[in-house]
Amino acid sequence: MTSSQPLDMTLSRVFGEVAETYHAARPGYPDALIAEVLSYASLTGPAGLPAVEVGAGTGKATLPFAALGTPMLCLEPDPRMADVLRRNAAAFPDVRVEVASFEDWRPDGTRFGLLLAATSWHWTDPATRWPRVHDALAPGGAVALFWNPMSVVDPALHAALAEVDRRHGLTLSPHAGLVSSYGDTPGHWPGMLGHWPDEECRRDGRFTDLRSLRIPERARYDTDRYLGHLSSISLYRALPDDLRDHVLADTAAVLDAHGGGIDIEHLHDLFLARRA
């Protein structure tokens, strides 16, 4: 993949197969990140305008923004994910859900004060995404793109899991990197190197006040929760059922042999920019 090529878009539709598991097992985003986005958006941004979320999924990022009173339009291309999102956001009347990809959606003259994408920006089309962001935002509106990759704390557990991945021909699994192997800057992790949005945004030339920051967070997953997390990821969803079962069984055996779980560090990496 190069910076001008999107990922295989067919993989972006596999999450709906396990929408409930996705919501239960996927990590969320810390309060500090939500506060950082809202603070940045309010600095010089237009007051009172709603936010639009690209690839909202089941609402892992939607809900904390909505809980703080942010009116939101959520774009989600998979109707199964959208159904779960509607149920999860039922308590927030200012959250609307539209089944649409970012590429198919038309703002029809509506302008937003904030556009956000939580672990979904890499599924959008590089050829059109920044013009679409520009068209969706009011002057001064903010864009917030963020991810939460995980890195493994224990070197011995990392080595054992790497052997499982090697045996089954997997690359870039969530546990592919040790904490010590990650760089100190946002976007410096396997799968993102060379694809951090800063360069693309600067080339567009219509955005200002570009910022990148990282918020680390330690967490522990027990074996069942971690297997649920893996089951919700496109790398594992794309495997034939029998192979996926073998991979998950081998992974579970390793985790159970190392204390029944995995200690990880989430690297909540955030990119911010503003329509000039």
Side-chain angles (χ1 to χ4, degrees):
M1 183 178 74
T2 69
S3 58
S4 62
Q5 295 174 324
L7 296 177
D8 180 355
M9 297 305 292
T10 59
L11 293 179
S12 69
R13 304 296 192 268
V14 301
F15 305 115
E17 300 170 359
V18 287
E20 296 286 1
T21 298
Y22 180 103
H23 190 75
R26 284 291 184 105
Y29 302 93
D31 293 344
L33 184 147
I34 307 301
E36 192 74 40
V37 171
L38 292 177
S39 175
Y40 176 88
S42 66
L43 286 178
T44 59
L49 293 182
V52 58
E53 182 179 2
V54 175
T58 59
K60 300 298 291 190
T62 311
L63 300 182
F65 281 100
L68 294 174
T70 306
M72 300 186 71
L73 170 62
C74 300
L75 308 177
E76 170 50 49
D78 191 305
R80 298 162 296 184
M81 300 286 276
D83 284 345
V84 176
L85 172 55
R86 288 191 185 96
R87 293 198 296 272
N88 290 335
F92 303 107
D94 287 335
V95 173
R96 294 188 296 119
V97 181
E98 184 173 334
V99 178
S101 68
F102 190 37
E103 291 72 22
D104 292 336
W105 171 67
R106 297 293 180 269
D108 293 329
T110 303
R111 291 295 176 265
F112 296 83
L114 170 65
L115 182 146
L116 64 99
T119 316
S120 62
W121 187 246
H122 52 283
W123 295 114
T124 60
D125 184 356
T128 63
R129 55 194 177 195
W130 286 105
R132 290 184 181 280
V133 171
H134 182 271
D135 290 346
L137 290 175
V143 53
L145 313 175
F146 45 98
W147 291 261
N148 53 3
M150 58 174 55
S151 53
V152 183
V153 175
D154 179 7
L157 176 56
H158 174 262
L161 290 172
E163 172 57 25
V164 172
D165 289 355
R166 185 202 62 75
R167 190 162 65 245
H168 293 288
L170 300 181
T171 59
L172 297 181
S173 68
H175 46 258
L178 268 173
V179 169
S180 59
S181 68
Y182 279 62
D184 296 327
T185 57
H188 194 121
W189 37 274
M192 183 55 74
L193 292 176
H195 307 293
W196 188 244
D198 185 279
E199 182 180 344
E200 269 191 2
C201 184
R202 290 184 189 279
R203 283 202 306 268
D204 182 278
R206 294 177 291 178
F207 297 85
T208 187
D209 194 17
L210 279 61
R211 306 183 190 183
S212 296
L213 66 149
R214 169 171 289 176
I215 302 172
E217 180 185 40
R218 287 286 174 102
R220 179 168 178 81
Y221 288 64
D222 64 24
T223 298
D224 287 343
R225 185 187 174 199
Y226 191 65
L227 293 185
H229 174 67
L230 295 183
S231 297
S232 74
I233 291 172
S234 58
L235 173 67
Y236 290 80
R237 298 309 313 159
L239 296 174
D241 291 347
D242 57 343
L243 177 55
R244 182 169 59 249
D245 290 344
H246 280 113
V247 172
L248 293 177
D250 288 354
T251 302
V254 168
L255 295 179
D256 288 342
H258 287 77
I262 181 171
D263 293 306
I264 60 92
E265 182 167 280
H266 288 295
L267 304 173
H268 300 281
D269 284 358
L270 169 63
F271 175 77
L272 297 165
R274 190 182 310 285
R275 176 177 162 172

